[in-house]
Amino acid sequence: MADDAGLETSLCSEQFGSGEARGCRVAADGSLQWEGFPDSVSPDYLPYQLWDSVQAFASSLSGSLATQAVLLGIGVGNAKATVSAATATWLVKDSTGMLGRIVFAWWKGSKLDCNAKQWRLFADILNDVAMFLEIMAPVYPICFTMTVSTSNLAKCIVSVAGGATRAALTVHQARRNNMADVSAKDSSQETLVNLVGLLVSLLMLPLVSGCPGFSLGCFFFLTALHIYANYRAVRALVMETLNEGRLRLVLKHYLQRGEVLNPTAANRMEPLWTGFWPAPSLSLGVPLHRLVSSVFELQQLVEGHQEPYLLCWDQSRNQVQVVLNQKAGPKTILRAATHGLMLGALQGDGPLPAELEELRNRVQAGPKKESWVIVKETHEVLDMLFPKFLKGLQDAGWKTEKHQLEVDEWRATWLLSPEKKVL
């Protein structure tokens, strides 16, 4: 609390001419933090925005080439084309995109916060695919309506994923309760880049309009630049909260070497391709009725659980499902996720701490034990390991008071658990 009070105390202020004064606060480490850039944003703000501007410029030029191709396919400049046919094509294209936007938001909306970097990169690559379809649409007039409808469907998915992840990144980058300011400046920057792209497009389009091969070559070059700049922008981000991917990396390194990776190192190692992570399935916040159907099963599940969560491990599928108590807080959820990932480590081959190594040897060498027995034993190991791991996370610079783990809304209460702790 003292540290928070220190951050709120303004020691001095300054102003330039008749401009607005800005105050200066003292940080917990004794350093001075002035209001405004760069102290008002995260350290990764500038490199991210530089690469984001490059990708926006490349995307703007690619979009101009795609728009030209769509207008050509609809019949602009063709005396045989009719207004009604062009209108019908446009309506089918837009309605397909609207449906796609609704379905995608319902299907993946809850996952976008947890993996903002991955979905951000996915959205931009999908946008390139959509523009490629638009450029190729006039080549096959019979399939033109279907092609541009598919392209618009992809672009609407891009709009949902890109907008949602941009909001998540704004929350990360705003450090002085200045989300609106950061968002407004990001929007203004994008507008400026798009304006420059528009002016360059006015010079570029007359040069490429008469040569389809040259136009396609320019598109491929701009697409390569766009993807590269996006990759560099996303890779520049250093998220200080743990999602499942970053927690897995940090925990694996801790179990193998006894050290906690700092946010910069973990973000550098984090994979950026959504859906390509070979890991056991971890489900947090599952409904209790999915795991138990009798009093005996409930007693078996509760036995050994003194934390406000219940964990069920399916060894055959290496799937972990966690029921959360109504009183479970962020640290409880973090412990439950750590517990689930630690169970997955028992089926791996890497080095482990002595306590887990002994347990793994017993699990693999002896007769196959029931999962609930192993879960009970890992609870005892985690009671020793987790406090050290949590302190290591905090010392390394991770924000453990919040997380980006994917957690469903189901909560439960149970009467058979003795001395439940609340973290």
Side-chain angles (χ1 to χ4, degrees):
M1 294 299 292
D3 292 344
D4 294 339
L7 278 171
E8 295 300 323
T9 303
S10 181
L11 297 180
C12 52
S13 65
E14 65 179 9
Q15 69 182 89
F16 179 76
S18 59
E20 184 179 354
R22 65 171 187 166
C24 177
R25 298 182 176 90
V26 58
D29 60 359
S31 62
L32 297 181
Q33 295 184 343
W34 293 91
E35 294 177 354
F37 182 83
D39 293 323
S40 61
V41 292
S42 59
D44 57 18
Y45 178 82
L46 184 58
Y48 172 80
Q49 292 297 341
L50 289 174
W51 285 109
D52 189 56
S53 297
V54 174
Q55 70 86 18
F57 178 73
S59 181
S60 178
L61 297 183
S62 299
S64 299
L65 295 172
T67 300
Q68 182 188 44
V70 171
L71 293 177
L72 179 64
I74 286 179
V76 174
N78 185 355
K80 296 181 180 180
T82 63
V83 175
S84 59
T87 303
T89 299
W90 210 264
L91 291 175
V92 171
K93 176 178 76 73
D94 286 352
S95 60
T96 303
M98 292 175 186
L99 288 174
R101 186 192 301 266
I102 294 170
V103 172
F104 181 76
W106 165 78
W107 181 36
K108 291 293 186 180
S110 62
K111 302 180 184 296
L112 299 178
D113 275 312
C114 306
N115 298 291
K117 294 195 294 184
Q118 288 82 350
W119 283 108
R120 179 74 177 173
L121 186 60
F122 166 83
D124 283 302
I125 293 176
L126 184 61
N127 191 50
D128 290 330
V129 173
M131 289 190 289
F132 176 72
L133 289 176
E134 289 180 339
I135 285 181
M136 297 303 295
V139 179
Y140 305 100
I142 297 178
C143 304
F144 180 81
T145 300
M146 183 179 68
T147 303
V148 294
S149 296
T150 304
S151 171
N152 200 54
L153 172 64
K155 283 191 171 184
C156 286
I157 293 175
V158 170
S159 176
V160 175
T165 53
R166 176 169 296 185
L169 296 181
T170 300
V171 172
H172 158 68
Q173 292 177 332
R175 296 301 170 93
R176 293 289 182 273
N177 196 27
N178 56 336
M179 283 180 53
D181 180 42
V182 172
S183 179
K185 286 181 170 60
D186 181 70
S187 179
S188 298
Q189 172 190 314
E190 184 177 9
T191 301
L192 176 62
V193 173
N194 286 334
L195 177 60
V196 174
L198 176 62
L199 296 176
V200 174
S201 296
L202 292 175
L203 300 175
M204 179 185 68
L205 291 178
L207 300 176
V208 302
S209 58
C211 183
F214 184 53
S215 176
L216 192 60
C218 290
F219 173 77
F220 284 135
F221 170 75
L222 292 169
T223 299
L225 177 61
H226 180 239
I227 294 176
Y228 176 73
N230 264 295
Y231 176 82
R232 291 296 300 270
V234 172
R235 186 56 82 187
L237 291 168
V238 180
M239 311 295 283
E240 295 151 339
T241 49
L242 290 162
N243 64 359
E244 185 178 339
R246 291 188 286 275
L247 177 59
R248 184 179 294 108
L249 281 170
V250 174
L251 180 62
K252 180 180 179 181
H253 191 271
Y254 178 77
L255 293 178
Q256 292 180 350
R257 304 187 183 181
E259 302 173 351
V260 175
L261 289 171
N262 60 42
T264 301
N267 277 267
R268 193 181 301 121
M269 298 166 61
E270 183 183 8
L272 297 178
W273 306 110
T274 301
F276 289 88
W277 189 267
S281 176
L282 175 64
S283 302
L284 298 170
V286 301
L288 183 59
H289 70 262
R290 183 186 298 177
L291 304 183
V292 297
S293 58
S294 67
V295 175
F296 173 75
E297 290 181 352
L298 179 60
Q299 291 174 335
Q300 194 178 65
L301 184 65
V302 169
E303 185 175 348
H305 285 81
Q306 294 183 348
E307 305 293 332
Y309 68 87
L310 302 177
L311 190 147
C312 179
W313 182 33
D314 185 341
Q315 293 186 65
S316 59
R317 295 187 296 174
N318 206 8
Q319 183 181 47
V320 176
Q321 298 184 85
V322 180
V323 179
L324 296 173
N325 190 270
Q326 292 281 5
K327 298 180 180 180
K331 290 183 181 178
T332 295
I333 296 173
L334 182 59
R335 174 180 167 125
T338 303
H339 194 171
L341 297 177
M342 192 175 71
L343 286 169
L346 294 179
Q347 294 189 336
D349 298 325
L352 293 175
E355 305 92 336
L356 284 177
E357 187 69 43
E358 181 183 350
L359 179 58
R360 180 170 64 181
N361 291 337
R362 293 207 314 268
V363 169
Q364 295 180 351
K368 190 174 183 63
K369 294 185 178 182
E370 293 190 40
S371 295
W372 67 272
V373 177
I374 301 174
V375 170
K376 180 180 177 180
E377 294 181 1
T378 53
H379 258 299
E380 299 171 358
V381 176
L382 203 61
D383 284 338
M384 296 182 291
L385 288 181
F386 186 71
K388 300 176 185 177
F389 179 58
L390 181 62
K391 186 178 185 306
L393 289 173
Q394 295 167 345
D395 292 342
W398 292 99
K399 297 180 178 179
T400 57
E401 68 277 6
K402 55 184 179 180
H403 58 79
Q404 290 180 326
L405 296 164
E406 185 182 345
V407 184
D408 208 344
E409 297 298 321
W410 287 95
R411 297 295 183 271
T413 57
W414 51 91
L415 302 176
L416 304 177
S417 177
E419 302 178 4
K420 281 187 290 199
K421 305 176 188 176
V422 178
L423 295 176

